[in-house]
Amino acid sequence: MELLEGKMKGTSSPDNISTRLRKVAEQAKQAPDMVFTTLAHHIDVILLKEAFHLTRKDAASGVDQQTAAEYEEQLDNNLTSLLDRFKSGTYKAPPVKRVYIPKLNGAVRPIGVPTIEDKVLQRAVAMMLGAVYEQDFLTCSYGFRPGRSCHQALETLWRGIMGMGGRYVYEVDIRKFFDTLDHGHLRSFLDLRVRDGVIRRVIDKWLKAGVFEAGQLSYLDAGTPQGGVISPLLANIYLHEVLDKWFEHVVRPRMRGEAFLIRYADDFVMVFSNEMDSRKVEEVLPKRLGRFGLAVHPEKTRLIRFLPPSGGSGGSVTSAIQFRPIGVHPLLG
């Protein structure tokens, strides 16, 4: 008990969590080229407790079979132990439990279910990293970001197309993106902004944690933690470097006409006012993605001529294009 009180003493109150994150965000915004080497010290029991409260309590349990209610019975002790293991480097990332959920087309989608404790730590780290990377991400990115949604992405897409009077829309699907994301490239991207040893160590553990299915444990050499809270952020970091910055700083300046990109997680569309521009990007994009271990899905990727409804207004772009956001399944937290 004395140890717990010692850990809790001097930590910030929940009201100061946003202040702490805001200071990190301001530092990141003011110094866009700065590499953060000390971030983990901002993560304490209070922030872990906030991460726990933000985690769904009715989701399925992970490989340890522990429910959120069971974890909460000794919450302060559990979070203090978690913090100690995280800071000392002795935290062992458990494998995720693989389950399958039905898709609308009758097929099934594999989903990973982390343990409740792993979800809490992933969320806390994601909160800290998000404070940094939200200052870097471009406006074309909408997926899994605070204050942004799929509906906003579609609205922006529609307004952009209508502003051009239609033109050429390149809709792209990356084949099995969350399964094929290259760990080596991800680490190099993280090096550009975050080199905190404690945080980078635990991210590596999550990448190597493995998958438990039908009594068998397997390890993957690519992809992000299945079902992990940290996965969407890592995906955004990856595609920010591979796609968003490339399109904004390399592609657009070389276009003859207007062009813009809208991305929601790994679903994205590029819109061009000039057909030759669209054909050129259609040719080079697979090569760009291939450099980073990614590939376009040939059956779900298409370049179309999009014309506005008669009269130039009304209608909805969703009649031709739909983002496919990864929904929150009841199995996940």
Side-chain angles (χ1 to χ4, degrees), residues 71-91:
Y71 193 81
E72 192 171 14
E73 290 175 359
Q74 298 292 326
L75 185 60
D76 286 340
N77 285 322
N78 286 333
L79 294 182
T80 299
S81 171
L82 175 59
L83 181 66
D84 284 342
R85 285 175 281 136
F86 166 62
K87 294 290 183 71
S88 67
T90 59
Y91 179 77

Side-chain angles (χ1 to χ4, degrees), residues 33-303:
D33 296 323
M34 174 183 175
V35 177
F36 286 82
T37 58
T38 55
L39 280 175
H41 69 281
H42 292 294
I43 298 178
D44 57 16
V45 173
I46 301 300
L47 192 142
L48 288 175
K49 184 175 289 188
E50 178 67 11
F52 174 81
H53 291 317
L54 291 172
T55 300
R56 289 184 57 195
K57 309 302 186 294
D58 59 347
S61 57
V63 294
D64 61 357
Q65 298 299 312
Q66 186 176 42
T67 66
E70 292 169 343
Y71 193 81
E72 192 171 14
E73 290 175 359
Q74 298 292 326
L75 185 60
D76 286 340
N77 285 322
N78 286 333
L79 294 182
T80 299
S81 171
L82 175 59
L83 181 66
D84 284 342
R85 285 175 281 136
F86 166 62
K87 294 290 183 71
S88 67
T90 59
Y91 179 77
K92 296 182 179 179
V96 297
K97 181 173 66 176
R98 176 174 284 173
V99 297
Y100 294 87
I101 60 175
K103 298 172 67 173
L104 295 177
N105 62 4
V108 294
R109 171 182 292 167
I111 293 292
V113 182
T115 65
I116 179 65
E117 184 171 72
D118 210 41
K119 291 177 185 177
V120 171
L121 184 56
Q122 286 193 30
R123 189 175 297 280
V125 171
M127 291 167 67
M128 191 56 57
L129 291 180
V132 174
Y133 283 101
E134 273 302 311
Q135 316 314 309
D136 298 346
F137 292 155
L138 303 183
T139 57
C140 62
S141 169
Y142 285 83
F144 303 101
R145 295 182 58 189
R148 288 177 162 246
S149 68
C150 180
H151 296 295
Q152 291 174 340
L154 288 169
E155 178 66 19
T156 303
L157 175 61
W158 175 245
R159 290 182 181 277
I161 291 176
M162 293 300 294
M164 285 185 182
R167 307 304 172 87
Y168 304 89
V169 179
Y170 188 29
E171 181 184 15
V172 182
D173 182 280
I174 300 178
R175 185 198 296 269
K176 296 183 177 180
F177 170 73
F178 284 90
D179 295 328
T180 58
L181 181 151
D182 183 88
H183 292 172
H185 287 305
L186 175 62
R187 293 186 184 100
S188 68
F189 296 151
L190 288 168
D191 283 343
L192 299 174
R193 202 61 157 134
V194 176
R195 296 184 190 172
D196 180 289
V198 176
I199 289 179
R200 292 295 300 274
R201 183 167 54 211
V202 77
I203 290 177
D204 275 343
K205 290 181 178 181
W206 285 325
L207 294 176
K208 300 174 182 177
V211 175
F212 188 79
E213 179 182 9
Q216 298 292 323
L217 179 60
S218 59
Y219 296 94
L220 307 176
D221 56 8
T224 59
Q226 294 190 46
V229 179
I230 196 73
S231 292
L233 178 58
L234 296 180
N236 273 334
I237 293 171
Y238 202 91
L239 289 177
H240 171 71
E241 296 293 337
V242 173
L243 181 67
D244 301 355
K245 288 171 61 176
W246 172 72
F247 185 86
E248 184 65 27
H249 302 306
V250 178
V251 174
R252 285 188 63 192
R254 290 170 169 78
M255 297 290 96
R256 296 184 176 184
E258 297 178 72
F260 67 90
L261 164 71
I262 300 291
R263 180 175 65 82
Y264 189 98
D266 60 325
D267 284 321
F268 63 93
V269 294
M270 298 173 174
V271 181
F272 306 89
S273 63
N274 182 283
E275 182 178 7
M276 186 175 296
D277 288 342
S278 68
R279 297 293 182 184
K280 184 177 181 180
V281 174
E282 182 185 26
E283 178 183 354
V284 301
L285 179 65
K287 300 175 185 178
R288 170 67 182 182
L289 295 180
R291 286 180 52 192
F292 300 96
L294 304 175
V296 298
H297 195 301
E299 297 175 0
K300 298 180 180 179
T301 299
R302 58 179 180 167
L303 176 63

